[in-house]
Short mmCIF file of all heavy atoms in Angstrom, two decimals:
data_model
loop_
_atom_site.label_atom_id
_atom_site.label_comp_id
_atom_site.label_asym_id
_atom_site.label_seq_id
_atom_site.Cartn_x
_atom_site.Cartn_y
_atom_site.Cartn_z
N GLY A 1 11.07 2.75 22.41
CA GLY A 1 10.28 1.57 22.73
C GLY A 1 8.94 1.50 22.03
O GLY A 1 7.96 1.04 22.60
N VAL A 2 8.89 1.93 20.77
CA VAL A 2 7.62 1.95 20.03
C VAL A 2 7.50 0.84 18.99
O VAL A 2 6.54 0.83 18.23
CB VAL A 2 7.42 3.32 19.34
CG1 VAL A 2 7.36 4.44 20.35
CG2 VAL A 2 8.50 3.58 18.30
N LEU A 3 8.44 -0.09 18.97
CA LEU A 3 8.43 -1.09 17.89
C LEU A 3 7.21 -2.00 17.93
O LEU A 3 6.63 -2.29 16.88
CB LEU A 3 9.72 -1.89 17.90
CG LEU A 3 10.99 -1.08 17.60
CD1 LEU A 3 12.21 -1.99 17.59
CD2 LEU A 3 10.86 -0.33 16.29
N ALA A 4 6.81 -2.47 19.09
CA ALA A 4 5.62 -3.34 19.17
C ALA A 4 4.39 -2.59 18.65
O ALA A 4 3.60 -3.16 17.88
CB ALA A 4 5.41 -3.84 20.59
N ASP A 5 4.24 -1.34 19.05
CA ASP A 5 3.11 -0.54 18.57
C ASP A 5 3.21 -0.30 17.07
O ASP A 5 2.21 -0.31 16.36
CB ASP A 5 3.04 0.80 19.30
CG ASP A 5 2.63 0.67 20.75
OD1 ASP A 5 1.95 -0.33 21.10
OD2 ASP A 5 2.98 1.56 21.54
N SER A 6 4.42 -0.09 16.59
CA SER A 6 4.62 0.14 15.15
C SER A 6 4.22 -1.07 14.34
O SER A 6 3.57 -0.94 13.30
CB SER A 6 6.09 0.49 14.88
OG SER A 6 6.45 1.68 15.54
N VAL A 7 4.59 -2.24 14.81
CA VAL A 7 4.21 -3.48 14.12
C VAL A 7 2.69 -3.63 14.14
O VAL A 7 2.07 -3.99 13.13
CB VAL A 7 4.91 -4.71 14.74
CG1 VAL A 7 4.35 -6.01 14.17
CG2 VAL A 7 6.42 -4.63 14.51
N ALA A 8 2.07 -3.33 15.27
CA ALA A 8 0.61 -3.42 15.37
C ALA A 8 -0.06 -2.43 14.41
O ALA A 8 -1.06 -2.76 13.78
CB ALA A 8 0.16 -3.17 16.80
N LEU A 9 0.49 -1.24 14.29
CA LEU A 9 -0.11 -0.23 13.42
C LEU A 9 -0.02 -0.61 11.95
O LEU A 9 -0.95 -0.38 11.18
CB LEU A 9 0.58 1.13 13.62
CG LEU A 9 0.17 1.88 14.88
CD1 LEU A 9 1.15 3.01 15.15
CD2 LEU A 9 -1.24 2.43 14.73
N THR A 10 1.10 -1.20 11.54
CA THR A 10 1.28 -1.55 10.14
C THR A 10 0.76 -2.94 9.82
O THR A 10 0.47 -3.25 8.67
CB THR A 10 2.76 -1.50 9.72
OG1 THR A 10 3.49 -2.48 10.47
CG2 THR A 10 3.36 -0.12 9.95
N GLY A 11 0.69 -3.79 10.85
CA GLY A 11 0.24 -5.16 10.65
C GLY A 11 1.32 -6.09 10.12
O GLY A 11 1.05 -7.25 9.81
N ASP A 12 2.56 -5.58 10.02
CA ASP A 12 3.63 -6.39 9.43
C ASP A 12 4.97 -5.85 9.90
O ASP A 12 5.31 -4.70 9.62
CB ASP A 12 3.53 -6.32 7.91
CG ASP A 12 4.53 -7.21 7.19
OD1 ASP A 12 5.51 -7.67 7.80
OD2 ASP A 12 4.31 -7.42 5.98
N SER A 13 5.75 -6.69 10.58
CA SER A 13 7.06 -6.24 11.07
C SER A 13 7.99 -5.85 9.92
O SER A 13 8.91 -5.05 10.11
CB SER A 13 7.71 -7.31 11.94
OG SER A 13 7.95 -8.48 11.17
N GLY A 14 7.74 -6.38 8.74
CA GLY A 14 8.54 -6.02 7.58
C GLY A 14 8.29 -4.61 7.08
O GLY A 14 9.02 -4.11 6.22
N HIS A 15 7.27 -3.96 7.62
CA HIS A 15 6.96 -2.59 7.22
C HIS A 15 7.45 -1.58 8.24
O HIS A 15 7.05 -0.42 8.21
CB HIS A 15 5.45 -2.42 7.03
CG HIS A 15 4.94 -3.15 5.84
ND1 HIS A 15 3.68 -2.96 5.34
CD2 HIS A 15 5.51 -4.07 5.02
CE1 HIS A 15 3.50 -3.73 4.29
NE2 HIS A 15 4.60 -4.42 4.08
N VAL A 16 8.32 -2.04 9.13
CA VAL A 16 8.88 -1.16 10.17
C VAL A 16 10.39 -1.21 10.07
O VAL A 16 10.99 -2.27 9.94
CB VAL A 16 8.44 -1.62 11.58
CG1 VAL A 16 9.01 -0.71 12.65
CG2 VAL A 16 6.91 -1.67 11.68
N LEU A 17 11.00 -0.04 10.11
CA LEU A 17 12.45 0.09 10.09
C LEU A 17 12.85 1.00 11.23
O LEU A 17 12.23 2.05 11.44
CB LEU A 17 12.92 0.69 8.77
CG LEU A 17 14.39 1.07 8.66
CD1 LEU A 17 15.27 -0.19 8.70
CD2 LEU A 17 14.66 1.87 7.40
N THR A 18 13.85 0.61 12.00
CA THR A 18 14.35 1.47 13.06
C THR A 18 15.81 1.81 12.82
O THR A 18 16.57 0.98 12.32
CB THR A 18 14.18 0.85 14.46
OG1 THR A 18 14.64 1.80 15.44
CG2 THR A 18 14.94 -0.45 14.61
N ILE A 19 16.17 3.02 13.16
CA ILE A 19 17.56 3.44 13.13
C ILE A 19 18.05 3.73 14.54
O ILE A 19 19.15 4.21 14.72
CB ILE A 19 17.77 4.68 12.22
CG1 ILE A 19 16.95 5.87 12.71
CG2 ILE A 19 17.44 4.34 10.77
CD1 ILE A 19 17.25 7.18 12.01
N ALA A 20 17.18 3.42 15.53
CA ALA A 20 17.51 3.83 16.89
C ALA A 20 17.25 2.79 17.97
O ALA A 20 17.70 2.99 19.09
CB ALA A 20 16.72 5.10 17.22
N ASP A 21 16.54 1.73 17.68
CA ASP A 21 16.17 0.77 18.73
C ASP A 21 16.87 -0.56 18.52
O ASP A 21 16.56 -1.31 17.60
CB ASP A 21 14.66 0.57 18.74
CG ASP A 21 14.16 -0.14 19.98
OD1 ASP A 21 14.91 -0.96 20.56
OD2 ASP A 21 13.00 0.11 20.38
N MET A 22 17.81 -0.85 19.42
CA MET A 22 18.62 -2.06 19.30
C MET A 22 17.81 -3.34 19.56
O MET A 22 18.30 -4.43 19.34
CB MET A 22 19.81 -2.00 20.25
CG MET A 22 20.74 -0.83 19.97
SD MET A 22 21.48 -0.88 18.33
CE MET A 22 22.64 -2.20 18.55
N SER A 23 16.57 -3.22 20.02
CA SER A 23 15.74 -4.40 20.26
C SER A 23 14.96 -4.82 19.02
O SER A 23 14.03 -5.63 19.10
CB SER A 23 14.78 -4.15 21.43
OG SER A 23 13.74 -3.26 21.05
N ALA A 24 15.33 -4.31 17.88
CA ALA A 24 14.60 -4.56 16.63
C ALA A 24 14.36 -6.04 16.37
O ALA A 24 13.25 -6.44 16.03
CB ALA A 24 15.34 -3.92 15.46
N ALA A 25 15.38 -6.85 16.53
CA ALA A 25 15.26 -8.28 16.23
C ALA A 25 14.21 -8.95 17.08
O ALA A 25 13.53 -9.88 16.63
CB ALA A 25 16.61 -8.97 16.41
N GLN A 26 14.02 -8.51 18.30
CA GLN A 26 13.01 -9.08 19.19
C GLN A 26 11.60 -8.88 18.65
O GLN A 26 10.68 -9.59 19.02
CB GLN A 26 13.12 -8.47 20.59
CG GLN A 26 14.41 -8.78 21.29
CD GLN A 26 14.58 -7.96 22.57
OE1 GLN A 26 13.70 -7.21 22.97
NE2 GLN A 26 15.72 -8.11 23.21
N HIS A 27 11.43 -7.89 17.78
CA HIS A 27 10.12 -7.56 17.22
C HIS A 27 10.03 -7.97 15.75
O HIS A 27 9.02 -7.68 15.10
CB HIS A 27 9.85 -6.06 17.37
CG HIS A 27 9.88 -5.59 18.77
ND1 HIS A 27 8.81 -5.72 19.63
CD2 HIS A 27 10.86 -5.01 19.50
CE1 HIS A 27 9.13 -5.22 20.82
NE2 HIS A 27 10.38 -4.79 20.76
N GLY A 28 11.09 -8.58 15.23
CA GLY A 28 11.11 -8.95 13.82
C GLY A 28 11.26 -7.75 12.90
O GLY A 28 10.92 -7.80 11.72
N VAL A 29 11.80 -6.66 13.43
CA VAL A 29 11.92 -5.39 12.72
C VAL A 29 13.35 -5.24 12.20
O VAL A 29 14.31 -5.66 12.85
CB VAL A 29 11.55 -4.23 13.67
CG1 VAL A 29 11.89 -2.88 13.07
CG2 VAL A 29 10.07 -4.30 14.03
N ARG A 30 13.48 -4.62 11.04
CA ARG A 30 14.80 -4.34 10.49
C ARG A 30 15.46 -3.19 11.23
O ARG A 30 14.82 -2.22 11.59
CB ARG A 30 14.71 -3.99 9.01
CG ARG A 30 14.28 -5.16 8.15
CD ARG A 30 14.02 -4.75 6.72
NE ARG A 30 12.85 -3.86 6.72
CZ ARG A 30 12.68 -2.83 5.91
NH1 ARG A 30 13.58 -2.53 5.02
NH2 ARG A 30 11.60 -2.09 5.96
N PHE A 31 16.78 -3.32 11.44
CA PHE A 31 17.57 -2.26 12.07
C PHE A 31 18.59 -1.79 11.05
O PHE A 31 19.30 -2.59 10.45
CB PHE A 31 18.28 -2.78 13.32
CG PHE A 31 19.17 -1.75 13.96
CD1 PHE A 31 18.63 -0.82 14.83
CD2 PHE A 31 20.53 -1.70 13.70
CE1 PHE A 31 19.44 0.15 15.43
CE2 PHE A 31 21.34 -0.75 14.28
CZ PHE A 31 20.79 0.18 15.16
N SER A 32 18.66 -0.48 10.84
CA SER A 32 19.66 0.09 9.95
C SER A 32 20.70 0.78 10.81
O SER A 32 20.38 1.67 11.60
CB SER A 32 19.03 1.09 8.99
OG SER A 32 20.06 1.73 8.24
N ALA A 33 21.94 0.36 10.67
CA ALA A 33 23.02 0.92 11.47
C ALA A 33 23.51 2.25 10.92
O ALA A 33 24.46 2.81 11.44
CB ALA A 33 24.18 -0.08 11.53
N GLY A 34 22.87 2.76 9.91
CA GLY A 34 23.24 4.07 9.41
C GLY A 34 24.34 4.04 8.37
O GLY A 34 25.16 4.94 8.31
N ASP A 35 24.38 3.01 7.55
CA ASP A 35 25.34 2.91 6.47
C ASP A 35 25.16 4.13 5.56
O ASP A 35 24.11 4.32 4.95
CB ASP A 35 25.11 1.61 5.71
CG ASP A 35 26.06 1.41 4.55
OD1 ASP A 35 26.43 2.40 3.89
OD2 ASP A 35 26.43 0.24 4.31
N ALA A 36 26.17 4.96 5.45
CA ALA A 36 26.07 6.21 4.68
C ALA A 36 25.75 5.94 3.22
O ALA A 36 24.97 6.67 2.61
CB ALA A 36 27.36 7.01 4.82
N ASP A 37 26.34 4.91 2.63
CA ASP A 37 26.05 4.59 1.22
C ASP A 37 24.60 4.19 1.03
O ASP A 37 23.94 4.60 0.09
CB ASP A 37 26.97 3.47 0.72
CG ASP A 37 28.42 3.93 0.58
OD1 ASP A 37 28.64 5.14 0.38
OD2 ASP A 37 29.31 3.07 0.68
N GLN A 38 24.08 3.37 1.96
CA GLN A 38 22.69 2.94 1.88
C GLN A 38 21.76 4.14 2.05
O GLN A 38 20.76 4.27 1.34
CB GLN A 38 22.41 1.89 2.94
CG GLN A 38 21.01 1.32 2.87
CD GLN A 38 20.78 0.27 3.94
OE1 GLN A 38 21.44 0.24 4.97
NE2 GLN A 38 19.83 -0.60 3.69
N ALA A 39 22.07 5.02 2.99
CA ALA A 39 21.24 6.21 3.21
C ALA A 39 21.24 7.09 1.96
O ALA A 39 20.19 7.60 1.56
CB ALA A 39 21.76 7.00 4.42
#
């Protein structure tokens, strides 16, 4: 549950990526489902 704080710290939701918080879209944050090729 740190996404809101993360956005505040960076000043931009585009600078936050989560691999663990399914509420990412609510914060405008990108969610990576762990695509092995992308990783």
Side-chain angles (χ1 to χ4, degrees):
V2 299
L3 295 182
D5 290 335
S6 298
V7 171
L9 283 166
T10 63
D12 184 344
S13 63
H15 290 192
V16 180
L17 172 67
T18 183
I19 60 172
D21 193 330
M22 299 299 287
S23 73
Q26 296 170 4
H27 301 279
V29 170
R30 292 172 294 145
F31 177 83
S32 174
D35 180 325
D37 290 334
Q38 184 180 23

